[in-house]
Every structure is written in structure tokens, then in C-alpha cells.
């Protein structure tokens, strides 16, 4: 393995704070096991959650970060699933107010394989400003504008691939170590 001066890491944002009332994803049995021991959030069209993250001190100044959604379905439907991320962020240490909302949409066809771990990433990227920036987000499943995926769609995790100025993986997607 070649040692790199710069690499990629993840700003992790767990899906834990659900909206209230209509538009709230429901906890549903997850995975091929019939035990029902593992539950995750099942998103219908219009369901959303609120999440937040903190930019670590290894963030490479001036670099772009790429938000993405980890998700899966319980069936074999190949119709696309579309996610909308509404993002606001602000530098810490009393430097600035939160930005106006930035809307990022990502979409990918279902794999056709039940329980396949999907990662759908924005390709444009955005600046995370600097360490101690807070990133607040609403993640919502929205219609793809055509025939939506009819399987139960589970939103599992959101994170940003970002460049680090310290040792990490040299690539942000597989093969991570090439």
C-alpha cells in the first residue's frame, strides 16, 4: 500500500431524529432474517428525518465533500429511489450565521436484489468550510417524477466523503486502497 499525503474520510450522520406527525418514517423489520430483531426507518414518499454532523479537524481546507445516502429495499424492484437533502451549515466559534438552505437531490435505480446495500452520492460536492463547522440536514424521500420504487425503502445512514489532510484511504469509493 502506498502512503498518501491526502486521503478520504467520512463525516458520519446517523438517522435518528424523525420528524413528527405526517411524513414520519416508521420503524420496520429489516433484513432477510424473519426474527424482526433489527428495525430500521422505512421511508415512504414525503417521509423525512433531521440529522446533524460536525466537521472534524482533519478536513482538508478548500476541498469539496460529497453527501450520500446509504439505503436498501426489501424487494427486487428496479425503479429509482430519489432522496432530497436540505442542508444548512455554519462555521463554529462565533464566526458566522447558518447559510440559507442548499438542496441536493440524489437518485439511483433499485438494484433488483433484496437487502442490497446501496450508496447514492452527489457528484457535485460542496465545501464544508473548516473544522468545527456544523452541518444540519433534513433527509427526505421524494418522488422520482416517474414510477417510484414500490418496495419498502429503508434510509440507513447519511455521510459526506471528504478529503483529509492526514493518513486515510487514498480513494473515496472502492477500491479504497488502490
Amino acid at each position: 500500500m502506498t502512503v498518501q499525503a491526502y486521503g478520504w474520510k467520512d463525516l458520519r450522520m446517523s438517522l435518528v431524529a424523525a420528524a413528527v406527525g405526517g411524513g414520519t418514517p416508521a420503524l420496520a423489520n429489516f433484513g432477510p432474517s424473519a426474527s424482526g430483531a433489527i428495525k430500521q426507518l422505512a421511508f415512504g414518499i414525503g417521509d423525512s428525518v433531521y440529522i446533524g454532523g460536525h466537521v472534524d479537524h482533519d478536513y482538508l481546507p478548500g476541498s469539496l465533500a460529497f453527501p450520500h445516502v446509504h439505503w436498501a429495499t426489501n424487494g427486487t424492484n428496479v425503479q429509482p429511489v430519489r432522496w432530497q437533502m436540505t442542508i444548512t451549515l455554519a462555521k463554529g466559534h462565533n464566526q458566522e450565521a447558518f447559510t440559507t438552505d442548499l438542496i441536493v437531490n440524489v437518485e439511483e435505480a433499485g438494484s433488483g436484489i433484496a437487502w442490497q446495500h446501496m450508496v447514492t452520492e452527489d457528484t457535485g460536492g460542496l465545501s464544508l468550510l473548516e473544522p468545527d463547522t456544523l452541518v444540519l440536514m433534513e433527509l427526505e424521500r421524494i418522488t422520482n417524477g416517474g414510477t417510484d420504487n414500490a418496495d419498502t425503502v429503508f434510509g440507513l445512514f447519511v455521510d459526506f466523503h471528504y478529503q483529509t489532510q492526514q493518513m486515510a484511504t487514498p480513494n473515496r469509493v472502492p477500491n479504497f486502497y488502490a
Side-chain angles (χ1 to χ4, degrees), residues 16-103:
V16 295
V20 295
T24 303
L27 280 175
N29 292 348
F30 181 85
S33 172
S35 73
I38 298 173
K39 298 198 180 353
Q40 291 294 304
L41 294 174
F43 283 74
I45 302 298
D47 286 349
S48 68
V49 294
Y50 303 107
I51 54 184
H54 171 272
V55 178
D56 290 336
H57 285 260
D58 59 357
Y59 175 68
L60 179 65
S63 64
L64 295 178
F66 300 87
H68 54 280
V69 180
H70 295 254
W71 59 280
T73 68
N74 68 344
T76 58
N77 191 302
V78 295
Q79 294 302 320
V81 173
R82 178 177 266 190
W83 301 96
Q84 180 170 286
M85 294 173 270
T86 303
I87 302 167
T88 184
L89 54 126
K91 292 179 183 179
H93 305 281
N94 199 28
Q95 294 185 80
E96 69 179 8
F98 281 88
T99 61
T100 57
D101 292 348
L102 171 66
I103 306 293

Side-chain angles (χ1 to χ4, degrees), residues 81-168:
V81 173
R82 178 177 266 190
W83 301 96
Q84 180 170 286
M85 294 173 270
T86 303
I87 302 167
T88 184
L89 54 126
K91 292 179 183 179
H93 305 281
N94 199 28
Q95 294 185 80
E96 69 179 8
F98 281 88
T99 61
T100 57
D101 292 348
L102 171 66
I103 306 293
V104 176
N105 292 326
V106 295
E107 179 178 314
E108 187 170 355
S111 69
I113 301 169
W115 310 114
Q116 183 78 9
H117 178 186
M118 305 292 290
V119 179
T120 304
E121 183 172 59
D122 171 56
T123 58
L126 60 117
S127 173
L128 293 178
L129 305 176
E130 67 181 25
D132 288 336
T133 295
L134 285 184
V135 180
L136 305 178
M137 178 188 300
E138 177 186 28
L139 174 70
E140 180 179 6
R141 181 175 172 212
I142 61 174
T143 181
N144 65 33
T147 303
D148 289 300
N149 192 303
D151 291 336
T152 300
V153 176
F154 293 88
L156 303 172
F157 211 80
V158 171
D159 57 304
F160 286 73
H161 286 139
Y162 71 95
Q163 280 190 285
T164 178
Q165 52 187 341
Q166 298 174 17
M167 179 92 168

